[in-house]
Amino acid sequence: MGRGSIKRGPSKRHIDGKDFHLAEEIRSIQRRAAEHDGRFVTVGSLALFSTETGDAWLLDPEDHLAARLARDGDPDDLYFEETDTSFAIGWKGKYRIDGNAFVYIDSESSRIITILGYPTRRIAEWG
């Protein structure tokens, strides 16, 4: 990754390159979820978002992978490894956008969850 840029807005942020630290971004979006503050952050090929209901997610649009980072303001555990040059994420499921619905399919249980009120338009435009 090369040098990056940071674009900040009231509820969005984009980070590229050497400015990216996955652990920091996960903690930051979990804090936003705990404060019930809706944010949408893109980091390279990943997106993180929090909602006013206290949920937070990490998404990979290329393979439609998803991992919940918080629920009702409480952080969820996520396995990941990070070095200076790479990272690995223990994805927990897949997602799709169906109109205004965020649909999550849990890999372990095959349970399907449909959630309304998420920033689906922004997710669809981004990925």
Side-chain angles (χ1 to χ4, degrees), residues 45-109:
S45 63
L46 304 176
L48 300 93
F49 73 91
S50 61
T51 69
E52 293 175 1
T53 61
D55 294 349
W57 291 82
L58 173 64
L59 306 177
D60 176 349
E62 188 172 315
D63 296 315
H64 291 273
L65 298 171
R68 187 189 306 253
L69 301 175
R71 182 176 186 175
D72 298 325
D74 296 323
D76 278 6
D77 291 330
L78 173 68
Y79 171 81
F80 69 94
E81 293 180 9
E82 182 177 27
T83 68
D84 289 339
T85 58
S86 66
F87 58 88
I89 299 168
W91 297 104
K92 297 178 181 182
K94 292 192 167 237
Y95 78 94
R96 72 176 188 267
I97 302 302
D98 187 4
N100 289 328
F102 178 89
V103 180
Y104 173 71
I105 303 99
D106 185 273
S107 295
E108 189 173 307
S109 68

